[in-house]
Amino acid sequence: MGSDTMPKNKYELIYKDLKQKIENEEFSYQELLPSEHTLVQTYGCSRNTIRRAISQLVTDGYVQTLQGKGVRNIFRPVEQTSFTIGGIESFRESAARNHQTGRTEVLCFMELTADEKISRWTDFPVGTELYYLQRLHYLDEKPLIINHNYFLKSAVPGLTPEIASHSIYDYLEHTLHMTIVNSRRVMTVEKITQIDEKYLHMDANDYNCMAVVSSHTYNSDGVMFEFTQSRHRPDYFRFQDNAVRK
Amino acid sequence: MGSDTMPKNKYELIYKDLKQKIENEEFSYQELLPSEHTLVQTYGCSRNTIRRAISQLVTDGYVQTLQGKGVRNIFRPVEQTSFTIGGIESFRESAARNHQTGRTEVLCFMELTADEKISRWTDFPVGTELYYLQRLHYLDEKPLIINHNYFLKSAVPGLTPEIASHSIYDYLEHTLHMTIVNSRRVMTVEKITQIDEKYLHMDANDYNCMAVVSSHTYNSDGVMFEFTQSRHRPDYFRFQDNAVRK
DNA sequence: GCCGATTTGTCCGTATGTATC
DNA sequence: CGATACATACGGACAAATCGG
């Protein structure tokens, strides 16, 4: 879960309502939405609230606003052939969003202390107590992603392989009541390793690279509690984005 | 150019000022910024304006806001080893932001009409008149990116190889006075082609993949005027992102 | 080209809710 | 509990862009 709960804020309600109307193609492509003034009346709220909902749709790439003209629908339904990446979400959440069934296998679960080498690429200080996990994610029974997770032990006490095979984020948020705030991600392309080859059933004569997403994730205490390297099969990897020119 | 002009809006001025203060490390890592109330007084504006500036810093991943506590600085200066991708920007803009010198070579410049095949992956309707370009981008005299551009001829009249070797976006914005609004991007990993191998001086026995960014770009008339496939050398590719959990 | 109506953009002030300390 | 700080929401004023007459 994490983001599919019933919102209680007006602007979120309006945002979700408009978003669904757009997805259901109640507005045709390139059509202008009702004016802010009209929406104020239909939803019975202030103009600021409407504008806040619309600005979220802009960052989603659903609409574009044009001063003096209106708000134009530019939503295009996408074909969901491969695994798409969105905001901060667990594998289970992504799988659900992509309308697929996911399964996770824990390959390795151990405790370790950050040495010089680990520190250099996880950014955890030398000497930090960590959980290290290797997990294999299946989508529709095909192994697609292999994850190397480093969790700050002091922030994630009581982690077990059992929990790791289900959903760590669920455990963090609902059992430990941690609030996950933001995640810095870097995407690169790297050479395939023997581990990749073995577990993802890949042939180095075919693709010899992986799509790699490295992320540093922070909670509301401001501590970086997770470093993860996600290695994706290149033929099933897809990252979507909408950029706005300022 | 495009985004480095002097802003005249208050919220943008405040945003840029705070951003620079953070980059200059006038606030230490994890330190709380002055409260909104304080900032209202120092900048002499309303609280809404302050909040707007701060919300931009949040999406940039510079700070995190914590209800009841304050606004925490989580900015970390990044090492700029490879070519990073930001919002919608031209190659020249990116190169400047990465403090590198760029050069562009036009490999191919032609006019063509979209057939069935082109239409399927550019989304331009069959029969559309297009400019097709192949361009090679050098960074510090190393060929790193090869671009396949399709421009809508009716929206980009008078395009020449001369302009293409300089900056097309500069031409669009300053000569044609087009307003570029947003760009839908998809990142994937694809097999290397003979063209990649030849122009980027790559060896298929080494990396046999490319980082590929495909983008559909829209202007303020709501027309998709550009489809571009950017093929990056995997060893120099880096895409950064900050995701916020909702 | 001008003018007025419409529509979005910016900015302000205020009130109330909610989380932290 | 009170003080502080951010979050939500409202209403109003004026600017800037678009469009039709």
Side-chain angles (χ1 to χ4, degrees):
Chain A
M1 305 286 150
S3 51
D4 250 7
T5 55
M6 177 67 176
K8 63 176 189 300
N9 298 329
K10 272 194 185 181
Y11 75 90
E12 260 193 281
L13 278 167
I14 296 169
Y15 161 69
K16 294 220 172 181
D17 190 59
L18 287 173
K19 187 168 184 169
Q20 197 166 47
K21 281 192 168 68
I22 292 169
E23 284 170 349
N24 293 344
E25 307 190 49
E26 296 188 24
F27 305 104
S28 59
Y29 185 60
Q30 299 282 5
E31 185 184 342
L32 295 183
L33 268 57
S35 74
E36 294 177 353
H37 178 65
T38 309
L39 291 174
V40 161
Q41 292 175 323
T42 61
Y43 286 104
C45 66
S46 77
R47 192 171 154 229
N48 282 337
T49 305
I50 293 293
R51 286 179 62 75
R52 185 156 178 187
I54 289 176
S55 79
Q56 286 211 43
L57 294 171
V58 171
T59 62
D60 288 348
Y62 274 44
V63 300
Q64 56 181 205
T65 61
L66 305 160
Q67 191 170 1
K69 291 180 101 167
V71 179
R72 178 185 286 132
N73 171 26
I74 54 168
F75 172 78
R76 305 250 72 176
V78 259
E79 76 300 349
Q80 298 282 13
T81 54
S82 45
F83 193 65
T84 39
I85 292 184
I88 307 180
E89 52 187 1
S90 69
F91 175 72
R92 290 191 98 81
E93 291 163 357
S94 302
R97 189 170 46 80
N98 289 288
H99 305 103
Q100 287 161 313
T101 59
R103 185 167 66 83
T104 300
E105 188 181 324
V106 180
L107 301 178
C108 168
F109 183 99
M110 58 186 286
E111 305 180 9
L112 53 78
T113 307
D115 60 14
E116 184 71 36
K117 188 179 161 192
I118 291 174
S119 168
R120 206 168 318 121
W121 74 289
T122 65
D123 266 11
F124 286 115
V126 174
T128 310
E129 302 279 315
L130 301 170
Y131 287 114
Y132 172 62
L133 293 85
Q134 277 182 23
R135 295 191 293 168
L136 188 57
H137 291 299
Y138 292 81
L139 216 60
D140 295 339
E141 295 308 313
K142 262 216 284 273
L144 294 188
I145 306 168
I146 188 161
N147 267 0
H148 301 259
N149 302 102
Y150 295 84
F151 283 99
L152 187 62
K153 211 163 133 187
S154 62
V156 193
L159 191 62
T160 65
E162 163 60 23
I163 293 167
S165 71
H166 178 242
S167 173
I168 294 180
Y169 270 33
D170 194 61
Y171 175 67
L172 294 178
E173 293 190 317
H174 296 119
T175 305
L176 296 183
H177 300 292
M178 178 191 284
T179 307
I180 298 157
V181 175
N182 74 313
S183 184
R184 255 192 272 281
R185 294 182 294 196
V186 176
M187 260 159 292
T188 53
V189 175
E190 293 183 15
K191 284 282 184 62
I192 197 169
T193 66
Q194 288 195 357
I195 295 178
D196 299 329
E197 217 170 324
K198 177 178 170 190
Y199 288 108
L200 299 177
H201 307 147
M202 292 182 61
D203 179 5
N205 295 327
D206 189 18
Y207 286 93
N208 69 5
C209 293
M210 301 288 289
V212 177
V213 182
S214 306
S215 56
H216 297 264
T217 308
Y218 294 74
N219 66 15
S220 61
D221 292 329
V223 303
M224 196 249 293
F225 70 94
E226 175 190 3
F227 172 81
T228 289
Q229 192 191 63
S230 280
R231 303 177 68 87
H232 296 247
R233 268 188 69 147
D235 45 349
Y236 284 89
F237 177 78
R238 177 190 176 90
F239 182 90
Q240 286 192 32
D241 189 40
N242 180 59
V244 179
R245 178 102 169 164
K246 286 192 280 207
Chain B
M1 305 279 152
S3 49
D4 251 9
T5 54
M6 178 67 175
K8 63 176 188 301
N9 297 330
K10 273 194 184 179
Y11 75 91
E12 258 193 285
L13 278 167
I14 297 170
Y15 160 70
K16 294 221 172 181
D17 190 58
L18 287 174
K19 187 168 183 168
Q20 198 165 45
K21 281 191 168 69
I22 292 169
E23 284 169 349
N24 294 344
E25 307 192 49
E26 296 188 25
F27 305 104
S28 59
Y29 185 59
Q30 299 283 8
E31 185 184 343
L32 294 183
L33 268 59
S35 74
E36 293 177 351
H37 177 66
T38 308
L39 292 173
V40 162
Q41 291 175 326
T42 61
Y43 286 105
C45 68
S46 77
R47 194 169 154 237
N48 282 337
T49 305
I50 293 293
R51 287 179 61 74
R52 186 158 179 185
I54 289 176
S55 79
Q56 286 210 44
L57 294 171
V58 171
T59 62
D60 287 348
Y62 274 43
V63 299
Q64 56 181 205
T65 60
L66 305 160
Q67 189 170 1
K69 290 178 107 165
V71 180
R72 179 185 284 132
N73 171 26
I74 54 169
F75 171 78
R76 308 249 72 177
V78 261
E79 74 303 349
Q80 298 282 14
T81 54
S82 45
F83 193 64
T84 41
I85 293 186
I88 306 180
E89 51 187 4
S90 70
F91 174 73
R92 290 190 100 82
E93 291 163 358
S94 302
R97 189 170 47 80
N98 289 287
H99 305 103
Q100 288 161 312
T101 58
R103 184 168 68 81
T104 300
E105 188 182 324
V106 179
L107 302 178
C108 168
F109 183 99
M110 58 186 285
E111 306 180 8
L112 52 78
T113 307
D115 59 15
E116 184 73 35
K117 189 179 161 191
I118 292 173
S119 168
R120 208 170 314 122
W121 75 290
T122 65
D123 265 11
F124 286 116
V126 174
T128 310
E129 300 281 314
L130 302 169
Y131 288 114
Y132 172 63
L133 294 85
Q134 278 181 23
R135 295 191 295 166
L136 188 57
H137 293 299
Y138 291 80
L139 216 60
D140 294 340
E141 295 308 315
K142 259 215 289 273
L144 295 188
I145 305 169
I146 188 161
N147 267 0
H148 302 259
N149 303 101
Y150 294 85
F151 283 98
L152 187 62
K153 211 163 135 187
S154 62
V156 193
L159 191 62
T160 65
E162 163 60 22
I163 294 167
S165 70
H166 178 243
S167 173
I168 294 181
Y169 271 34
D170 194 61
Y171 175 67
L172 293 180
E173 293 190 317
H174 296 119
T175 306
L176 296 184
H177 301 292
M178 178 190 287
T179 308
I180 298 158
V181 175
N182 74 314
S183 182
R184 256 193 272 281
R185 293 183 295 197
V186 176
M187 221 194 82
T188 53
V189 175
E190 293 183 16
K191 283 282 185 61
I192 199 171
T193 67
Q194 288 196 355
I195 296 178
D196 299 329
E197 216 171 324
K198 177 177 171 191
Y199 289 108
L200 300 176
H201 307 148
M202 292 183 61
D203 178 4
N205 296 327
D206 190 16
Y207 286 91
N208 69 6
C209 294
M210 300 288 289
V212 177
V213 181
S214 306
S215 57
H216 297 265
T217 308
Y218 294 74
N219 66 14
S220 62
D221 292 329
V223 302
M224 195 250 293
F225 69 93
E226 175 191 4
F227 172 83
T228 288
Q229 191 190 62
S230 278
R231 304 177 69 87
H232 296 247
R233 268 188 70 147
D235 45 349
Y236 284 90
F237 176 77
R238 177 190 177 91
F239 183 92
Q240 286 192 31
D241 188 42
N242 179 59
V244 179
R245 178 95 167 169
K246 286 191 277 208

